[in-house]
Amino acid sequence: MLIEASAYASRWRDVAPSAKAWFALAGIVAAWLARSPAALGTLAALLMLAALCGARVNPRAYLQVALPPLGFLLLSCLTMLVGPDAHGHWGLTTAMLPTIEHTALRSLAMLAALLGLVLTTPLPDLLNLLRRLRTPELLLDLMVLCYRMLFVMRQAWDESITAQSARLGYRNLRQAWRSTGLLAGQMAVQVWQRAAALQMAADARAYQGTLRFLPAVHPLARRQQAWAALAGALMLAIAVGDRL
């Protein structure tokens, strides 16, 4: 929900999804081609500035969305510091530091490219773009259903927490643990019931296996795509120049 709220509040909300996708793709390809830490750091900084300054994504929301993948990246880098020495004994080693630096900066640049796309593009726009790229309809419907179920689960969770709090279910630590256990046990039932209600509503509206959304109109799409291609070419030039 934080991602979708950021996308609708973004300054690039009305920019053509194809332009943002071209820009993100160019950033990913450039990050894959670049080799030196300086070039990778420059690409990551440019992609972050594009989202924070160009699209004016809330920095706090940006950081909250980036923290889980950054934590996974940090954990992966830390595990690469552990390895066998010349005698076969395991321990901390610095032999992998160049590889860790390269991997971390490349992953950071690619993450910045993806965050710039998802934090500025609402789901309906992404679905229309994927449909134009001939993505299978079954995959698109699964994306929509999973997306909708997140809201269903959040609503069921919030309503249950409110009901338990009104009955003093969290007045002390022992009661809080008991209420949390009851809540976890009831979530599956509530989500299943609400999912069945969603299916009934879809059947009542003559659902034929394909979910359609009203496509957004982008009258400046060609100009925006040209600017995105220019910015992407700049990042690719940095990467190719670094590789050569």
Side-chain angles (χ1 to χ4, degrees):
M1 287 184 284
L2 179 61
I3 294 176
E4 197 72 0
S6 299
Y8 277 101
S10 168
R11 185 184 180 185
W12 288 356
R13 163 67 180 86
D14 296 325
V15 175
S18 55
K20 291 179 281 190
W22 275 116
F23 182 72
L25 180 61
I28 293 174
V29 174
W32 182 259
L33 293 176
R35 290 181 176 178
S36 69
L40 289 170
T42 300
L43 291 172
L46 289 175
L47 291 165
M48 289 180 186
L49 287 175
L52 295 175
C53 299
R56 294 184 181 177
V57 175
N58 188 307
R60 184 175 180 180
Y62 189 94
L63 183 61
Q64 288 179 338
V65 175
L67 275 179
L70 287 177
F72 178 79
L73 176 60
L74 177 61
L75 180 61
S76 302
C77 292
L78 290 177
T79 57
M80 294 172 67
L81 288 173
V82 180
D85 57 15
H87 303 286
H89 301 295
W90 284 77
L92 293 178
T93 176
T94 59
M96 293 291 291
L97 281 180
T99 303
I100 293 173
E101 181 184 33
H102 184 267
T103 302
L105 288 174
R106 172 178 284 178
S107 301
L108 185 61
M110 291 186 175
L111 174 63
L114 290 176
L115 288 180
L117 175 64
V118 300
L119 290 175
T120 59
T121 311
L123 181 66
D125 291 347
L126 285 175
L127 290 174
N128 287 328
L129 176 62
L130 291 174
R131 183 169 282 116
R132 288 168 55 190
L133 295 175
R134 307 214 178 257
T135 304
E137 290 292 338
L138 177 60
L139 179 59
L140 297 180
D141 288 350
L142 288 175
M143 290 173 60
V144 175
L145 291 176
C146 292
Y147 173 79
R148 176 57 183 149
M149 287 307 299
L150 291 176
F151 289 89
V152 172
M153 293 180 65
R154 179 59 184 270
Q155 183 181 7
W157 181 272
D158 290 342
E159 290 178 355
S160 300
I161 288 289
T162 302
Q164 289 181 332
S165 299
R167 293 172 175 82
L168 303 179
Y170 297 91
R171 59 183 175 179
N172 53 49
L173 183 60
R174 180 180 178 182
Q175 197 71 16
W177 275 106
R178 182 176 182 275
S179 298
T180 304
L182 291 173
L183 177 60
Q186 291 294 323
M187 279 296 296
V189 177
Q190 290 197 34
V191 171
W192 178 80
Q193 291 175 343
R194 299 186 187 211
L198 286 176
Q199 182 63 44
M200 291 178 60
D203 293 339
R205 291 169 174 80
Y207 172 67
Q208 299 295 327
T210 300
L211 297 171
R212 295 289 180 177
F213 295 90
L214 183 66
V217 179
H218 302 282
L220 302 178
R222 291 185 179 274
R223 181 185 302 178
Q224 293 164 352
Q225 290 171 357
W227 280 108
L230 181 61
L234 175 62
M235 291 190 293
L236 290 173
I238 293 174
V240 173
D242 175 67
R243 195 176 184 88
L244 296 177

PDB file of all heavy atoms in Angstrom, residues 6-25:
ATOM      1  N   SER A   6       2.668   6.007  -2.835  1.00  0.00           N
ATOM      2  CA  SER A   6       3.771   6.802  -3.362  1.00  0.00           C
ATOM      3  C   SER A   6       3.638   6.996  -4.868  1.00  0.00           C
ATOM      4  O   SER A   6       3.955   8.070  -5.393  1.00  0.00           O
ATOM      5  CB  SER A   6       5.109   6.130  -3.036  1.00  0.00           C
ATOM      6  OG  SER A   6       5.300   6.022  -1.645  1.00  0.00           O
ATOM      7  N   ALA A   7       3.164   5.975  -5.564  1.00  0.00           N
ATOM      8  CA  ALA A   7       3.004   6.083  -7.012  1.00  0.00           C
ATOM      9  C   ALA A   7       1.953   7.121  -7.384  1.00  0.00           C
ATOM     10  O   ALA A   7       2.149   7.921  -8.305  1.00  0.00           O
ATOM     11  CB  ALA A   7       2.634   4.717  -7.589  1.00  0.00           C
ATOM     12  N   TYR A   8       0.845   7.132  -6.654  1.00  0.00           N
ATOM     13  CA  TYR A   8      -0.209   8.107  -6.961  1.00  0.00           C
ATOM     14  C   TYR A   8       0.181   9.526  -6.540  1.00  0.00           C
ATOM     15  O   TYR A   8      -0.313  10.495  -7.118  1.00  0.00           O
ATOM     16  CB  TYR A   8      -1.510   7.698  -6.292  1.00  0.00           C
ATOM     17  CG  TYR A   8      -2.285   6.672  -7.073  1.00  0.00           C
ATOM     18  CD1 TYR A   8      -2.247   5.327  -6.720  1.00  0.00           C
ATOM     19  CD2 TYR A   8      -3.050   7.036  -8.176  1.00  0.00           C
ATOM     20  CE1 TYR A   8      -2.951   4.371  -7.449  1.00  0.00           C
ATOM     21  CE2 TYR A   8      -3.756   6.094  -8.899  1.00  0.00           C
ATOM     22  CZ  TYR A   8      -3.707   4.762  -8.534  1.00  0.00           C
ATOM     23  OH  TYR A   8      -4.398   3.832  -9.268  1.00  0.00           O
ATOM     24  N   ALA A   9       1.036   9.655  -5.537  1.00  0.00           N
ATOM     25  CA  ALA A   9       1.463  10.976  -5.085  1.00  0.00           C
ATOM     26  C   ALA A   9       2.685  11.486  -5.834  1.00  0.00           C
ATOM     27  O   ALA A   9       3.093  12.630  -5.643  1.00  0.00           O
ATOM     28  CB  ALA A   9       1.770  10.939  -3.588  1.00  0.00           C
ATOM     29  N   SER A  10       3.264  10.656  -6.691  1.00  0.00           N
ATOM     30  CA  SER A  10       4.484  11.023  -7.397  1.00  0.00           C
ATOM     31  C   SER A  10       4.237  12.133  -8.412  1.00  0.00           C
ATOM     32  O   SER A  10       3.163  12.244  -8.999  1.00  0.00           O
ATOM     33  CB  SER A  10       5.065   9.791  -8.099  1.00  0.00           C
ATOM     34  OG  SER A  10       6.074  10.152  -9.008  1.00  0.00           O
ATOM     35  N   ARG A  11       5.263  12.921  -8.640  1.00  0.00           N
ATOM     36  CA  ARG A  11       5.191  13.970  -9.662  1.00  0.00           C
ATOM     37  C   ARG A  11       5.104  13.371 -11.060  1.00  0.00           C
ATOM     38  O   ARG A  11       4.594  14.004 -11.979  1.00  0.00           O
ATOM     39  CB  ARG A  11       6.430  14.863  -9.545  1.00  0.00           C
ATOM     40  CG  ARG A  11       6.440  16.066 -10.466  1.00  0.00           C
ATOM     41  CD  ARG A  11       7.755  16.812 -10.318  1.00  0.00           C
ATOM     42  NE  ARG A  11       7.823  17.979 -11.165  1.00  0.00           N
ATOM     43  CZ  ARG A  11       8.901  18.752 -11.292  1.00  0.00           C
ATOM     44  NH1 ARG A  11      10.001  18.456 -10.603  1.00  0.00           N
ATOM     45  NH2 ARG A  11       8.904  19.807 -12.080  1.00  0.00           N
ATOM     46  N   TRP A  12       5.613  12.165 -11.226  1.00  0.00           N
ATOM     47  CA  TRP A  12       5.584  11.487 -12.523  1.00  0.00           C
ATOM     48  C   TRP A  12       4.360  10.590 -12.668  1.00  0.00           C
ATOM     49  O   TRP A  12       4.346   9.697 -13.500  1.00  0.00           O
ATOM     50  CB  TRP A  12       6.840  10.632 -12.687  1.00  0.00           C
ATOM     51  CG  TRP A  12       8.077  11.447 -12.911  1.00  0.00           C
ATOM     52  CD1 TRP A  12       8.168  12.796 -13.057  1.00  0.00           C
ATOM     53  CD2 TRP A  12       9.418  10.947 -13.013  1.00  0.00           C
ATOM     54  NE1 TRP A  12       9.469  13.179 -13.238  1.00  0.00           N
ATOM     55  CE2 TRP A  12      10.260  12.079 -13.214  1.00  0.00           C
ATOM     56  CE3 TRP A  12       9.983   9.685 -12.940  1.00  0.00           C
ATOM     57  CZ2 TRP A  12      11.644  11.950 -13.354  1.00  0.00           C
ATOM     58  CZ3 TRP A  12      11.349   9.552 -13.075  1.00  0.00           C
ATOM     59  CH2 TRP A  12      12.171  10.664 -13.284  1.00  0.00           C
ATOM     60  N   ARG A  13       3.343  10.829 -11.882  1.00  0.00           N
ATOM     61  CA  ARG A  13       2.137  10.001 -11.945  1.00  0.00           C
ATOM     62  C   ARG A  13       1.548   9.983 -13.354  1.00  0.00           C
ATOM     63  O   ARG A  13       1.088   8.943 -13.835  1.00  0.00           O
ATOM     64  CB  ARG A  13       1.118  10.532 -10.935  1.00  0.00           C
ATOM     65  CG  ARG A  13      -0.324  10.076 -11.133  1.00  0.00           C
ATOM     66  CD  ARG A  13      -0.479   8.590 -10.877  1.00  0.00           C
ATOM     67  NE  ARG A  13      -1.847   8.168 -11.061  1.00  0.00           N
ATOM     68  CZ  ARG A  13      -2.380   7.810 -12.223  1.00  0.00           C
ATOM     69  NH1 ARG A  13      -1.641   7.828 -13.320  1.00  0.00           N
ATOM     70  NH2 ARG A  13      -3.632   7.426 -12.316  1.00  0.00           N
ATOM     71  N   ASP A  14       1.551  11.114 -14.045  1.00  0.00           N
ATOM     72  CA  ASP A  14       0.929  11.214 -15.360  1.00  0.00           C
ATOM     73  C   ASP A  14       1.915  11.006 -16.501  1.00  0.00           C
ATOM     74  O   ASP A  14       1.551  11.169 -17.669  1.00  0.00           O
ATOM     75  CB  ASP A  14       0.256  12.579 -15.514  1.00  0.00           C
ATOM     76  CG  ASP A  14      -0.891  12.763 -14.527  1.00  0.00           C
ATOM     77  OD1 ASP A  14      -1.569  11.764 -14.241  1.00  0.00           O
ATOM     78  OD2 ASP A  14      -1.091  13.894 -14.042  1.00  0.00           O
ATOM     79  N   VAL A  15       3.164  10.670 -16.189  1.00  0.00           N
ATOM     80  CA  VAL A  15       4.135  10.369 -17.241  1.00  0.00           C
ATOM     81  C   VAL A  15       3.817   8.991 -17.829  1.00  0.00           C
ATOM     82  O   VAL A  15       3.386   8.081 -17.113  1.00  0.00           O
ATOM     83  CB  VAL A  15       5.566  10.403 -16.673  1.00  0.00           C
ATOM     84  CG1 VAL A  15       6.584   9.961 -17.721  1.00  0.00           C
ATOM     85  CG2 VAL A  15       5.900  11.800 -16.180  1.00  0.00           C
ATOM     86  N   ALA A  16       4.003   8.841 -19.112  1.00  0.00           N
ATOM     87  CA  ALA A  16       3.692   7.582 -19.776  1.00  0.00           C
ATOM     88  C   ALA A  16       4.472   6.429 -19.148  1.00  0.00           C
ATOM     89  O   ALA A  16       5.683   6.542 -18.948  1.00  0.00           O
ATOM     90  CB  ALA A  16       4.026   7.681 -21.258  1.00  0.00           C
ATOM     91  N   PRO A  17       3.797   5.326 -18.820  1.00  0.00           N
ATOM     92  CA  PRO A  17       4.508   4.176 -18.226  1.00  0.00           C
ATOM     93  C   PRO A  17       5.617   3.642 -19.123  1.00  0.00           C
ATOM     94  O   PRO A  17       6.640   3.155 -18.631  1.00  0.00           O
ATOM     95  CB  PRO A  17       3.403   3.143 -18.029  1.00  0.00           C
ATOM     96  CG  PRO A  17       2.139   3.925 -18.006  1.00  0.00           C
ATOM     97  CD  PRO A  17       2.350   5.092 -18.905  1.00  0.00           C
ATOM     98  N   SER A  18       5.426   3.725 -20.435  1.00  0.00           N
ATOM     99  CA  SER A  18       6.466   3.242 -21.345  1.00  0.00           C
ATOM    100  C   SER A  18       7.751   4.042 -21.200  1.00  0.00           C
ATOM    101  O   SER A  18       8.857   3.482 -21.263  1.00  0.00           O
ATOM    102  CB  SER A  18       5.969   3.314 -22.789  1.00  0.00           C
ATOM    103  OG  SER A  18       5.533   4.635 -23.105  1.00  0.00           O
ATOM    104  N   ALA A  19       7.630   5.358 -20.979  1.00  0.00           N
ATOM    105  CA  ALA A  19       8.815   6.188 -20.790  1.00  0.00           C
ATOM    106  C   ALA A  19       9.557   5.816 -19.505  1.00  0.00           C
ATOM    107  O   ALA A  19      10.789   5.683 -19.491  1.00  0.00           O
ATOM    108  CB  ALA A  19       8.421   7.664 -20.775  1.00  0.00           C
ATOM    109  N   LYS A  20       8.801   5.620 -18.427  1.00  0.00           N
ATOM    110  CA  LYS A  20       9.435   5.229 -17.163  1.00  0.00           C
ATOM    111  C   LYS A  20      10.040   3.833 -17.262  1.00  0.00           C
ATOM    112  O   LYS A  20      11.098   3.560 -16.667  1.00  0.00           O
ATOM    113  CB  LYS A  20       8.404   5.308 -16.033  1.00  0.00           C
ATOM    114  CG  LYS A  20       7.989   6.738 -15.703  1.00  0.00           C
ATOM    115  CD  LYS A  20       6.954   6.796 -14.597  1.00  0.00           C
ATOM    116  CE  LYS A  20       5.579   6.478 -15.105  1.00  0.00           C
ATOM    117  NZ  LYS A  20       4.521   6.761 -14.096  1.00  0.00           N
ATOM    118  N   ALA A  21       9.393   2.955 -18.009  1.00  0.00           N
ATOM    119  CA  ALA A  21       9.928   1.603 -18.176  1.00  0.00           C
ATOM    120  C   ALA A  21      11.224   1.627 -18.985  1.00  0.00           C
ATOM    121  O   ALA A  21      12.186   0.915 -18.664  1.00  0.00           O
ATOM    122  CB  ALA A  21       8.892   0.713 -18.854  1.00  0.00           C
ATOM    123  N   TRP A  22      11.272   2.455 -20.041  1.00  0.00           N
ATOM    124  CA  TRP A  22      12.506   2.583 -20.823  1.00  0.00           C
ATOM    125  C   TRP A  22      13.646   3.110 -19.954  1.00  0.00           C
ATOM    126  O   TRP A  22      14.781   2.626 -20.046  1.00  0.00           O
ATOM    127  CB  TRP A  22      12.287   3.524 -22.001  1.00  0.00           C
ATOM    128  CG  TRP A  22      11.711   2.886 -23.219  1.00  0.00           C
ATOM    129  CD1 TRP A  22      10.501   3.137 -23.794  1.00  0.00           C
ATOM    130  CD2 TRP A  22      12.318   1.860 -24.019  1.00  0.00           C
ATOM    131  NE1 TRP A  22      10.314   2.337 -24.890  1.00  0.00           N
ATOM    132  CE2 TRP A  22      11.411   1.543 -25.059  1.00  0.00           C
ATOM    133  CE3 TRP A  22      13.531   1.186 -23.962  1.00  0.00           C
ATOM    134  CZ2 TRP A  22      11.692   0.588 -26.031  1.00  0.00           C
ATOM    135  CZ3 TRP A  22      13.819   0.218 -24.928  1.00  0.00           C
ATOM    136  CH2 TRP A  22      12.899  -0.063 -25.945  1.00  0.00           C
ATOM    137  N   PHE A  23      13.352   4.100 -19.139  1.00  0.00           N
ATOM    138  CA  PHE A  23      14.369   4.675 -18.262  1.00  0.00           C
ATOM    139  C   PHE A  23      14.886   3.646 -17.258  1.00  0.00           C
ATOM    140  O   PHE A  23      16.101   3.518 -17.032  1.00  0.00           O
ATOM    141  CB  PHE A  23      13.792   5.892 -17.536  1.00  0.00           C
ATOM    142  CG  PHE A  23      14.759   6.591 -16.642  1.00  0.00           C
ATOM    143  CD1 PHE A  23      15.800   7.336 -17.164  1.00  0.00           C
ATOM    144  CD2 PHE A  23      14.637   6.501 -15.265  1.00  0.00           C
ATOM    145  CE1 PHE A  23      16.708   7.982 -16.335  1.00  0.00           C
ATOM    146  CE2 PHE A  23      15.533   7.146 -14.426  1.00  0.00           C
ATOM    147  CZ  PHE A  23      16.572   7.892 -14.968  1.00  0.00           C
ATOM    148  N   ALA A  24      13.963   2.888 -16.644  1.00  0.00           N
ATOM    149  CA  ALA A  24      14.374   1.860 -15.682  1.00  0.00           C
ATOM    150  C   ALA A  24      15.164   0.752 -16.368  1.00  0.00           C
ATOM    151  O   ALA A  24      16.173   0.271 -15.828  1.00  0.00           O
ATOM    152  CB  ALA A  24      13.141   1.290 -14.983  1.00  0.00           C
ATOM    153  N   LEU A  25      14.729   0.343 -17.548  1.00  0.00           N
ATOM    154  CA  LEU A  25      15.440  -0.711 -18.274  1.00  0.00           C
ATOM    155  C   LEU A  25      16.848  -0.264 -18.651  1.00  0.00           C
ATOM    156  O   LEU A  25      17.814  -1.044 -18.544  1.00  0.00           O
ATOM    157  CB  LEU A  25      14.653  -1.102 -19.520  1.00  0.00           C
ATOM    158  CG  LEU A  25      15.273  -2.201 -20.394  1.00  0.00           C
ATOM    159  CD1 LEU A  25      15.406  -3.497 -19.605  1.00  0.00           C
ATOM    160  CD2 LEU A  25      14.437  -2.421 -21.660  1.00  0.00           C
TER     161      LEU A  25
END
